[in-house]
Structures are given as C-alpha cells and as structure tokens.
Amino acid sequence: MSRAKLAKVMSVLEVKFIGDGDALEHIVDKQEGVQSNSGSVQKMVTFKSPAGRRARADAEHDGDENGLLDEQNYIQALGTEEDEEGMSRVAGSSIFTFQKVKRGHSMAQTASELARTPGKNVTFSTTPNVEPSTPTRTGNNHRGESRTPQRKKKVQFVSTTPHRLRKRLTTPSIRSDSDSELSPSDSGEEEDEDGVEEQQTFKKEDKENSKTPRTPSKGLSAALYKTPAKKSKSTPDQPSMVEEYFEAHGSSKVLTSDRTLERLHTPKLDRETLVQLLEGKPSCYSEEIQQLHNKHRKHFSKWMLQLQLGFSVLVYGLGSKKALLEDFRVSQLGQEIHLVVNGFFPSITLKSILNALTCEALEHQGSFRTPSDQIQYISQTLKDSPDLHVYLLIHNIDGLMLRGEKTQSALGQLASLPNLHLVASLDHINAPLVWDQFQQSQFNWLWWECVTFQHYAEETSYENSLLVQQTGALALSSLTHVLRSLTPNARGIFQLLVKFQLENKDNPSYTGLSFQDFYQRCREAFLVNSDLTLRTQLTEFRDHKLIRTRKGADGVEYLMVAVDASTLMDFLENEEGD
Amino acid sequence: MAALLQHAGYEEERLLRVAQQMPCREVQAGMLLSLMGQPQQYSYPSIFIYGHRASGKSHVMHVLLKELELPHATVSCVECVSVALLFEQVLLSFFGCDAASLLPRSPSLSDFVRIYRQQCSQSPAKQTRYIVMEKAELLRDTDANLLPALLRLQELVEDNVTIILLSEIVWDKFRPNTGCFEPLLLHFPDYSKGELQQILSQDRHPSYTAEFYSSYINILLGVFYSVCRDLRELRHLAALNFSKFCEPLAEGKVKETDTHKLWRNIEPHLKKAMQTVYLREVSSLQWEQMQQMEEKESGALRGLSAHTHVELPYYSKFLLIAAYLASYNPARTDKRFFLKHHGKIKKTNFLKKNEKTSNHLLGPKPFPLDRLLAIFYSVVDNRVAPTASIFSQISSLVTLQLLTQVSHDDQLDAPKYKCAVSMDFICAISRTVNFDIVKYLYDFL
C-alpha cells in the first residue's frame, strides 16, 4: 500500500500534463474574467465554483509572486522551468495542439532510456539519438525570450480590455489546432521552431484579430442568419468554442493515418520497467501539492457534519482524490463501520459491493436471490437499528463498471438511507450524465471541489495502454470495452464461445472448441455464412488477445478464451443485463 | 339454421339453444362438433383455431363446451406468466384442488404429466376433456418444449384429452424449428357487413321497434364499416350513440319511420364520434356526459392528444430544441446554421436534392453528446456553464422519454441520443422561449 503511494507521488509527469491540456481546452472559456490575475499553480484551480475562487485567493496569500500570467505564458513557464530542472517536458505548444501520434511517440521516448536527457526531445526517428538536444535548447531559449515581451503585452491587455484578452486566449488554440492537423508529423526541430514562431505570430495576428472581427461583426449582424435578438445578446467568446467545434466537425472527411505505433518497432515496456523508470522523477510542485492537500484536509470535519445531516459528499477536481479520501477515512472514520469501494477496479460489480455490505458490515450469513432483495435487507436492517452508522467510501463512483443504470440506482437507494453515509469521488468529465434528477435527489450530493494534482497512479494502473505490455488475463472492463467496439455478430460469435467454455469449465480435459465445431455452431445461429468470415473474425479476436488457439494432437485447431471462468460469468451477466 | 348442427351425440334442444347463441357461426360450430365427435369418442389431439379479432372464436368454444356440459379447462395464456400457473389451472378444473396442490413449487412439464396421469388413472375420462388455450401466440415465448408437448398431450398422458388453441396468428408462425405434431387447422372468417348488421340488430332496445334499431345499425355501419369491422367496437359505439339517435324522437319532432331526418341528425354526430371516442381521445363516460349537456359541443372538450404541452425548465427546453435540431439537421449543415462567419456556402451545394424534404420523413437521426452541447451553447442566449445540472437535465430528458439514448454501450465516453418529440411539440416549446426553430431546420429552408 505504502509502496503504491510512493510510486504515485513519483509517477508519470507526461500523463498528468496531457490531462491538464485536455482539461484546459474544455475550461478556458468558462473562466470568465478571473484568469487574468492568478498564480501559476492556481491557474489550474480556476474552474468556476466560488469554492475554487476562494482557494485561489488563499493560495495567493501564501506568497505566490509569479505575477500576472495568461494561459499561454503559464504553459510556457511550466515548460521552461521544467526544462531547467532537467526534465523533458511537453511544452505549451504541444498542450494546445492536438497531436496524438507525436505525443505518444514522445512518451515512448521519454519512458525509454532517453528519458533523462535534458531539453525538449521530440525526435521522431526510431533510433534513439541525442543530437537534437542542441537545437531544442535554442528553441527553449527562444521561448524564454519570447516570454518577456508577452508578459508586458499582457499587462496592457488586462488593464484595458479583459474581453479582448479572452479572445486572445482562445484564438491561439484554434490556430495551433489547425496547424497541427495540416502539418505532417515530421522532425521535432521543425516542429519546435514552428511552435515558437507560431506563438510569436499569434501575438501579432491576435492583435489584429481582436480588432478586425469587431468591425465586420457590427455590419454583419443585420445580415446574419440567426434571429437578430439572439445575436446581439450573445457574448463574443462563448461562440468561439462552439464555432471551434463546428469548424472541426464541418467536413465529413475523416483523416486517418497509417502511422501506427506498430511501425516504431520499439519493444513495449512491461509495467514494472515503466514504474521503475518513472520512479526517479520527483514532482516539481510536491510542496504546493502537499499544501493543497492540507487545505482540503481542513474541510474534513465539515464533511463529517454534512454526512450526519443526510448529505452525500462528492469530491471532484483534477488529480487523484484517492489519497485525500484515504486520509479522510483514516482521520475521521477510524472508529466507524466503513466500507471502501474501488470503483476503478476493473472487475468490481454491484454484487460484490452489496455482498461486502451484507457480509462484512452487517454480518449477515447467507445469500440473496436478487440485488433488490439485498438492498431491501440492508435498508431494513439499518432502519431497525438507527444507531448503526455505515460509511460507504467510493473511489471513482463513475468507474467503468459502476456507470450502469442499475448500479447507480442501487447506490442511490443505499445513499438515501438515513444512516448510510456516502463519500465518493468522480473523475470523468461527463460524469454528471450518470444521474438524472431522481437519482440526484436520492444521492443528495454536496459537490466539493478538491483539486489535488496528484497522479492517478493506482487508478490508471488497471488501464490498457498502447505503450505498455499487457500482463496476464484481460479484466472484465477491458473485455467489455473491446467487445463493445465490435459488431453485434462478432459479439454473438464470442458469446457462443464463452458459453461453450463455461459449460465445460468443470471438465479438466477440455482443451477448447475445435474450429469445425465452432463453425457449425455459428452457422446454426446465423452468425457467419462461410468459414472464411469466421476466420477473419477469429483473427480479430486474436489481435485483441481475446482468444487463444492451440493445435491439438490431431492437428485440429482448438479455440479457447483466455479469461478465467468467473470473469466470463460476470461478463455474460452484464451482457444480458444490457 | 339448426340443421347444420345435427349431431348424434347430443340432444336436439340443446343444439338448438347453442345455435341461437351464436348467429352466423353455424358452419364453424358444426365443423367443430363433428371434429369433437360423440362425448366418449377420442377426438383429434389438438385443434388450432385462428381468425381475426372478434370473429367469435372464444365465444363459440365457450358456448359449445358450456351448453353441452363437456369437461373443459379454459386457460388464458396472458394470465399464465409462468407455466406453473398454467398447469395448476388445468389440474384444478379437471381434478379439483387436491390435484393442483400436488404440484411442486416450480413444476416442470414432466411433473405436470406425472400428476395428470396419476389423477386420470384414479378418475378415467368418460368424456373427452378439452383444454382451451386463449391467446395461444404467447405460448411461443415460453419454454421451447411446452408447445410441442401440449400438442401431443393426448399421447403423453394417455387420456382422452384435446387441446384447442385459439389465436389471431396463423399457424405458420407457431411451428417450432424442430417440428411438432401438426394440429388440425380451423379458420374463422370475418363477419360480412350483412352478418354484422344481423348480429348487432339482435340487442335492440326494448322500447323501440326492431326495424327502428335495425335502421340505426344500418346508419352506424354506413359510417363506421370502412374503418372498423370489429364487432365489439361497433357494438360499443352503437350503445354509446343510440340515445343521441333517439333524441328527436323523444322530443316528438320526427316519427320512427322518418329515417332520412334521423339520419341527417345523427350523421355529423357519428363522424365526430369517429374522431374522438373511437380513438379513445375522449372517454366513453365523458362522451355520454357531453350528450347530456346540449349546449356543449362535443368537439369543445380537449382530448388526450391535445394535452401535449409539458412544462419544462428553461435550459431543458433549449436542450430539447438543440436535440431536435441535431436530430433533424444533417451535421454537414451545422456550420451554416450555427456559425457566424461560415464563409461562402453556395446554396446549390448546400441543398442537396435527395436530402431535401426527407429528413422529417425518415425520422430522427442519432447525434453525439458534444454536438448537442455545441448546438445548445449556440442557440441559448446567454452564457451557460456546463454544470452538473445541465448534464443531469440531459439524462432527465432521457428518463422522461423526450430523448432516447441510442446504443447503451457507452454511458459516459461518447453517448448518442435521438430526439423523440414531434414537430408540433418542439414548435410549442420554442414559442415559449421566443426561438424561431423553423429558421434553423434544414427541411424548411
């Protein structure tokens, strides 16, 4: 446990920053007028709630003297600072741009033995070389230079027109987006210089832009297609995000690339090596993160009070909230009956949560026919003994396995019990979609913004990554994830195999289903029309590591699902539930 | 008439009574009777009777079995949600409570057969026992072995038992993959107009002459026969509107024989009834009350379908509008509608012939969440933060069935929705928020 915690503190810098970048894209235009005077760390905190604003104000008192920085500067500042500290980093430009392949590549390189070479290293050659470090340094210097004038300019903007500033803030991201789409991914040096040049040109262009759209907009407004009343009211920066969306989705052309990770020929790391490689990296803001953590800790007693008053506490924000909730558990719930649910765990089911509640917390022996019976029993037991308080702590209530309608309504029923208290954390950006009004009234959430900036070390450890080698059998969530992208017929074929395997699970001499037999069964179920289609389908399964084939003694192919029986059973249950 | 029902096994006057109770079904009843044979004779193991709704299947079976006092069990497959209920009902009506209580908690088919055999060895059948299964089409949804077993029940239990299946669906849709014992098929044809007239005229009002009621039925059929041939529905309408028909008579304005005036009086009334009562817009009780009150026009009362106005929160309305736009506009045209500076889009390029007019006919198309939100932000007047409340309003709209979620695969990552409301509904909604939705619809460009 403690080891895992340690690993979390030291883990993947890249992962975190890309997350920030994505989050920024979403958030930028929502922070109205507040971003101008915020410190560099707290920049990220500024979402929308008054709580966040308060937190930021506090932080500024703590003595963050970074002065006024806009989004762009902040990112750049981060980039350069890190470079100075000898860490390879994703610079501001790459946060704004949308370049999946490149990023993945740089991650791979970072994680490999080149990880510690200083400077921004975005080379795309498959052979690791140290050469480009020199040009990139100059690039960094450029950035350092460009930073000072910007800051001056920015101060001007803030003082005069905050609106224009906001405009400026959003437009570069459009520009860089489109740029990165157009430019084929080539050498890192060019890219790097491009980025700097772009940023410099933005400044000029933006200055023009900030004026130019203004003049036509007045003239245009009458001729616009929208209802005039609407037009005049709409604020200038809101549509820019919307427009960005429509611009991006305007053409139906789908750009695909055949530059896959496979072409890199770099061997995949296994999990241990990755952790080991990343262990040596201390977080550069560990002190501030600790301060944030301590600040959130101060609210614990408030949470306890609110829980007693019948609310459920929901913790949201950037960064892993696991440590915080764990801290809460240790400090506040030490004497109480409590149950911790790891929602991010890929094989968690509603049944296991309810079983844990009835067996461990309520010490009930025996089984229940349905989950609703079980909930009925729990609510009855808690009603009968009003002095009994049970605390339910859910890390990632929006976890992949807990998202389902049934699971959430069951949790809602539990949360509405007066002496069962629920504390949960949430991470998905669309997470509120899970609850409709009725469920929200059941949960009775109090939303607490707790931005921790801590790494999702444990939460992401279960996830599939293209860069990391998979170890062991597939978990339930990855199984469902893979299967959901397949056609219904393919799912049917797989289910057929799963059912057959489950029927034979007690038979130790079972070696799998022979291809001919399988083909016969699929034909009968109208799933395939020729053995060629089945072969193609099986190849796809094999690519996803869903099945294993083995040549039997008689030279016949035998097919097996490489997942253990209990997972398969859960899988079938889930599929039928849908 | 009764001559068709000649049968050796039964007394004459009983058959006569039977014949009286089922007008226009003598041929079918006679056929059934000859199939059933004399009471002690073995009958065909299974008979499948099919015909349209209200063509007298259940009625004929019921009257025959009741009047001729044959041992029978009538089971409605709608009621029997589990096979246990079915078995219990059959045993109950053949052998009494004792037999039914022998069934285990969740009986299987073999339990049923075992207990049946055991019971019928104690009380062997002197007459053919009949099991009538109403709405037999539901048997297809039960265990796969139930229907084939029932069709061969005579063989299985070695008793003189006949299964009669009643259904509106043809036998071809019943046949299991593996085949089964084929039942005897018997078709009940629809009633013709004359037959309907004859049957409906039977339940005349005692205070009026038969000719008068018959002329009323004639008028009623003249209006309704083109849309409805359902005997029960017509009978209900006849009963409902008769008092209106008699009204001028009670007032003394016309005589019974003055058919033309009566017809002129009732005809618009019947037309109105077709639009309201027949579609169940207005309940029968309301209709009767409306007839009592002279001054109130029968169209004045708003029917069920007129209550399409739903009060929604402000943002929910816009979310629904955005969903409607996303569902019925091609994504290609979003730039044109929601972008200020969309550049030059030629009208000729923009309007594609085949796409034009078809969107509303083809129904709503699915759209992803981010498109919904983008359109939402662009149609709503002021700035909206994407709060949890907005998101939960989307899911609430799904719960209210104003939106539907397509493909339950992914609840969070990229959910897809469809808009499930009609054009009228969305127009009413957008009027309340002063939004001109027609301007934004591709189909009305």
Side-chain angles (χ1 to χ4, degrees), chain A residues 347-400:
Chain A
S347 300
I348 197 161
T349 55
L350 175 65
K351 218 165 84 186
S352 57
I353 298 174
L354 292 177
N355 280 342
L357 261 177
T358 48
C359 299
E360 313 290 327
L362 304 179
E363 284 160 2
H364 172 264
Q365 307 294 325
S367 60
F368 295 90
R369 290 208 356 252
T370 57
S372 61
D373 281 356
Q374 209 159 355
I375 292 169
Q376 185 66 38
Y377 170 79
I378 293 168
S379 67
Q380 197 54 51
T381 320
L382 289 179
K383 207 177 275 171
D384 290 344
S385 49
D387 295 332
L388 184 67
H389 285 265
V390 179
Y391 291 82
L392 193 56
L393 208 80
I394 304 182
H395 300 291
N396 280 54
I397 196 168
D398 56 344
L400 212 55

Side-chain angles (χ1 to χ4, degrees), chain A residues 29 32 225-226 230-231 235 237-238 242-243 245-247 403-404 428 430 433 435-437 447 484, chain B residues 338-340 342 369 371 374 377-378 381 383 388 391-392 395-396 399 409 411-413 434-435 440:
Chain A
D29 84 315
E32 199 169 2
Y225 299 92
K226 292 190 176 183
K230 212 121 288 167
K231 193 87 281 171
T235 43
D237 52 347
Q238 166 91 53
V242 172
E243 284 176 7
Y245 173 84
F246 289 128
E247 284 291 350
R403 276 174 201 178
H428 198 283
N430 289 338
L433 268 184
W435 305 298
D436 61 6
Q437 303 284 345
W447 294 67
R484 268 173 186 174
Chain B
F338 305 110
L339 223 54
K340 266 186 264 175
H342 52 72
L369 175 73
R371 185 157 168 245
Y377 290 138
S378 103
D381 270 354
R383 286 174 56 85
F391 280 102
S392 79
S395 358
S396 297
T399 320
D409 293 353
Q411 285 123 323
L412 288 190
D413 286 336
N434 277 328
F435 181 82
Y440 286 84

Side-chain angles (χ1 to χ4, degrees), chain A residues 13-14 17 79 82-83 85-91 106-107 109-111 114-122 281:
Chain A
L13 205 67
E14 293 77 42
F17 265 102
E82 280 159 19
D83 287 343
E85 283 172 32
M87 287 188 216
S88 77
R89 260 353 346 204
V90 187
S106 72
M107 267 183 80
Q109 296 245 330
T110 321
L114 266 192
R116 264 158 237 180
T117 45
K120 186 176 181 320
N121 200 346
V122 210
K281 301 182 157 232

Side-chain angles (χ1 to χ4, degrees), chain A residues 430-446:
Chain A
N430 289 338
L433 268 184
V434 172
W435 305 298
D436 61 6
Q437 303 284 345
F438 174 66
Q439 282 177 351
Q440 289 224 335
S441 75
Q442 278 191 327
F443 277 112
N444 212 4
W445 290 124
L446 274 178

Side-chain angles (χ1 to χ4, degrees), chain B residues 27-172:
Chain B
V27 183
Q28 284 78 24
M31 173 77 95
L32 264 174
L33 266 184
S34 51
L35 277 176
M36 284 150 69
Q38 292 178 20
Q40 71 285 355
Q41 289 172 336
Y42 264 59
S43 166
Y44 205 74
S46 50
I47 303 171
F48 181 83
I49 302 176
Y50 67 105
H52 275 164
R53 178 166 303 170
S55 53
K57 302 180 290 291
S58 302
H59 178 69
V60 165
M61 271 331 296
H62 181 74
V63 167
L64 271 183
L65 294 174
K66 202 89 185 170
E67 287 294 329
L68 303 179
E69 287 169 358
L70 301 168
H72 68 277
T74 308
V75 182
S76 164
C77 297
V78 182
E79 286 172 28
C80 299
V81 286
S82 73
V83 283
L85 287 168
L86 194 152
F87 296 154
E88 195 191 343
Q89 225 166 339
V90 170
L91 288 178
L92 197 69
S93 41
F94 284 164
F95 307 109
C97 318
D98 299 340
S101 61
L102 286 173
L103 276 173
R105 216 174 113 83
S106 50
S108 65
L109 190 67
S110 60
D111 286 328
F112 170 67
V113 170
R114 180 173 53 80
I115 292 171
Y116 192 102
R117 290 180 75 144
Q118 184 188 325
Q119 291 293 320
C120 84
S121 66
Q122 288 166 16
S123 55
K126 290 185 211 72
Q127 294 178 309
T128 314
R129 291 179 171 128
Y130 293 97
I131 303 177
V132 182
M133 315 280 283
E134 288 175 357
K135 299 242 184 281
E137 54 266 24
L138 289 159
L139 285 177
R140 300 177 300 168
D141 304 331
T142 54
D143 299 338
N145 62 1
L146 183 64
L147 183 61
L150 283 177
L151 291 172
R152 278 182 182 270
L153 197 64
Q154 199 175 70
E155 216 174 298
L156 282 170
V157 299
E158 292 167 343
D159 185 33
N160 187 3
V161 63
T162 295
I163 294 269
I164 299 173
L165 303 169
L166 307 179
S167 175
E168 292 172 19
I169 296 178
V170 292
W171 170 249
D172 294 339

Side-chain angles (χ1 to χ4, degrees), chain A residues 312-331:
Chain A
S312 302
V313 169
L314 184 62
V315 181
Y316 70 101
L318 212 59
S320 165
K321 272 81 64 183
K322 192 163 184 299
L324 188 71
L325 292 191
E326 188 61 23
D327 200 354
F328 175 70
R329 185 184 75 83
V330 170
S331 62

